Amino acid sequence: SAKAAGRDQLATFDRNLREQRRATAATVERLRGAVARDELLVHYQPLVRLADEHLVGVEALIRWQPAGQQMIPPDQFIPSAEDSGLIVPIGAWVLRRSCEVVSEWHRRHGAVVSVNVSPRQLREPDFATQVLDALKASALPPAALILEITEGVLVNSGVVTEQAIRHLTTLREQGVRVAVDDFGTGYSSLAYLRDLPIDHIKIDKSFMPAPGTPDPAARTMVKAIIDLASGLELGTIAEGVETREQVELLRELGCERAQGYYFARPLPEAEAAELLARAGRSAHV
Ligand code: C2E
Ligand code: MG
Ligand code: MG
Ligand code: MG
């Protein structure tokens, strides 16, 4: 009967939910010791200036490599890390590690580093202090650090989150830059772009025109975002750039920087160092 089918569906739903919770709990348990066990690492994706296609820096992207297992991408553990609060020590580690690594690349090649910060980290009362300590310890100049936040960090259900604003204001006074990541995928009002302490917009990869088609709608949206950003004197970074056509379009529309598989994938530290050294000589990626 329909009633029995409904009951079955509900039972399946319950079971799936229980399994999901168990899987999440297991992930959190394994993740708990990951820093101590040295299982976390950072990959670096090149960031390119579109005017001349010089490599200007890298985005730090976390990876989890449990001993004897496949590498686990962030989408599979960052949500659990956020829910459990583990993102706080993990995020602090990413920040220290990437400042330390890029400090040398900054001295040699003038590279900057962009680090993702989760909303949970910005709720910590000592977040700004943590960042300034990481900079001091690594001797990376504040102006060589970009913090990537998402719209939700600054505005949550229409309410501006004061603690996050205070941290970012303090850090910007010291020269640190702030970028809004995945721009256009959240639900915030546009007013925050004018009012909040940010420097750059990262255009989400979902806005890139589909390869091999004119895709006028995507083009219109990318142009609108770039025009809006430049009108507000915010920098623009396109992410998910995979084709030459997209590079040409972005340059034509006045986008400043880009990253994506067209230029390079996120690379292990040694390979990123090599690429920077080579790019330093040839001035191209
Ligand atoms: P994100 O910050 O928006 O990073 C960009 C993602 O797009 C990366 O995925 C990158 O590998 C991928 N990507 C780069 N170029 C292309 C391209 O041309 N095409 C496509 N399809 N994808 C491209 P990844 O490394 O798997 O990271 C996923 C997300 O995990 C990040 O998105 C970020 O939100 C989060 N994440 C990564 N590292 C950290 C971290 O240290 N802390 C926090 N809180 N979140 C992190
Ligand atoms: Mg990012
Ligand atoms: Mg992004
Ligand atoms: Mg993204």
Side-chain angles (χ1 to χ4, degrees):
S1 70
K3 211 168 165 186
R7 242 188 343 258
D8 278 357
Q9 256 181 17
L10 210 60
T12 307
F13 179 78
D14 270 353
R15 196 161 52 242
N16 287 345
L17 206 65
R18 271 201 308 277
E19 272 161 22
Q20 231 172 55
R21 287 215 185 100
R22 202 157 34 232
T24 306
T27 302
V28 169
E29 251 349 281
R30 290 167 58 216
L31 193 53
R32 204 172 291 284
V35 174
R37 287 193 305 271
D38 234 6
E39 293 176 351
L40 297 180
L41 56 157
V42 181
H43 280 186
Y44 300 89
Q45 185 176 38
L47 188 62
V48 173
R49 182 168 58 214
L50 282 166
D52 52 10
E53 288 174 49
H54 279 217
L55 210 168
V56 292
V58 290
E59 177 174 3
L61 293 159
I62 195 171
R63 299 290 181 264
W64 181 15
Q65 175 72 79
Q69 285 176 55
Q70 278 208 320
M71 185 120 69
I72 304 172
D75 290 337
Q76 282 176 37
F77 67 90
I78 292 287
S80 304
E82 276 170 357
D83 292 344
S84 61
L86 281 176
I87 193 66
V88 172
I90 290 175
W93 177 82
V94 171
L95 200 60
R96 281 198 309 275
R97 177 75 195 154
S98 45
C99 285
E100 201 175 287
V101 166
V102 177
S103 179
E104 192 188 327
W105 300 347
H106 179 76
R107 282 194 299 275
R108 292 191 181 175
H109 316 292
V112 302
V113 63
S114 209
V115 179
N116 294 282
V117 174
S118 97
R120 185 68 182 68
Q121 288 174 269
L122 276 151
R123 292 215 301 269
E124 293 295 296
D126 69 341
F127 177 75
T129 310
Q130 278 179 33
V131 174
L132 295 173
D133 286 350
L135 288 167
K136 219 173 288 160
S138 62
L140 182 72
L145 176 64
I146 304 167
L147 298 177
E148 297 194 7
I149 58 166
T150 48
E151 300 173 33
V153 164
L154 299 174
V155 187
N156 203 340
S157 326
V159 180
V160 171
T161 33
E162 296 296 343
Q163 168 84 294
I165 308 281
R166 275 198 300 275
H167 284 319
L168 296 178
T169 304
T170 302
L171 291 167
R172 283 176 85 237
E173 280 164 10
Q174 302 298 313
V176 174
R177 297 280 161 252
V178 178
V180 177
D181 204 354
D182 305 334
F183 179 77
T185 61
Y187 298 94
S188 315
S189 100
L190 285 177
Y192 79 94
L193 283 184
R194 180 195 57 204
D195 301 331
L196 297 177
I198 57 180
D199 303 281
H200 306 285
I201 286 175
K202 293 193 81 169
I203 306 168
D204 191 68
K205 49 180 170 282
S206 59
F207 291 107
M208 281 311 110
T213 71
D215 206 344
R219 196 192 153 95
T220 301
M221 303 205 29
V222 171
K223 181 175 188 317
I225 295 172
I226 294 169
D227 289 348
L228 175 66
S230 50
L232 294 170
E233 294 178 353
L234 299 169
T236 42
I237 305 159
E239 56 175 27
V241 177
E242 295 183 352
T243 67
R244 186 69 221 167
E245 282 170 283
Q246 291 170 345
V247 172
E248 301 294 348
L249 173 69
L250 290 163
R251 201 200 336 243
E252 182 189 318
L253 296 178
C255 184
E256 287 169 3
R257 295 175 178 182
Q259 62 185 93
Y261 300 163
Y262 174 77
F263 297 109
R265 295 195 168 247
L267 302 167
E269 184 187 319
E271 285 175 43
E274 224 172 89
L275 183 66
L276 274 157
R278 251 189 294 131
R281 281 193 296 273
S282 72
H284 275 269
V285 186

